[in-house]
Amino acid sequence: MNQTNAQPIRGLFVTGTDTGVGKTVVTAAIAAALRAEGRNVGVWKPVQSGSTFGSGRTDAQQLLKSTGIDELPEAVAPFSFAAPLTPLLAAREA
């Protein structure tokens, strides 16, 4: 398909069945590649757990660093919990 017929990508959902399977890495790679093509791309991880903002280890912070997107981590991951539990259990604990 040539560029004049290309339709905008409205959304892409990356999912996996376990912790550490590479969802954040794959998402960052896709977003970075699309940005390199000049596309307007954002990332969103609605819920994350296992670390706090400022540690540099949250998925939101890793996504922003890897893609060069200028956004606040809190906007990327509005529901963040420090406990290294499933998001539901981490939210209950919080």
Side-chain angles (χ1 to χ4, degrees):
M1 178 185 310
N2 67 35
Q3 195 66 14
T4 58
N5 294 333
Q7 296 294 315
I9 299 171
R10 296 186 176 262
L12 180 63
F13 187 82
V14 176
T15 186
T17 58
D18 205 351
T19 299
V21 296
K23 299 178 296 286
T24 300
V25 172
V26 168
T27 300
I30 291 169
L34 292 171
R35 284 176 51 84
E37 290 180 356
R39 296 182 186 248
N40 183 14
V41 175
V43 292
W44 188 52
K45 182 172 178 96
V47 182
Q48 67 181 3
S49 59
S51 196
T52 57
F53 290 124
S55 67
R57 295 188 315 255
T58 67
D59 287 344
Q61 291 168 299
Q62 291 176 15
L63 284 167
L64 294 173
K65 182 179 179 182
S66 297
T67 60
I69 294 172
D70 185 22
E71 186 62 73
L72 295 173
E74 294 85 351
V76 172
F79 298 98
S80 291
F81 305 101
L85 305 168
T86 65
L88 177 62
L89 292 178
R92 284 182 182 164
E93 183 177 293

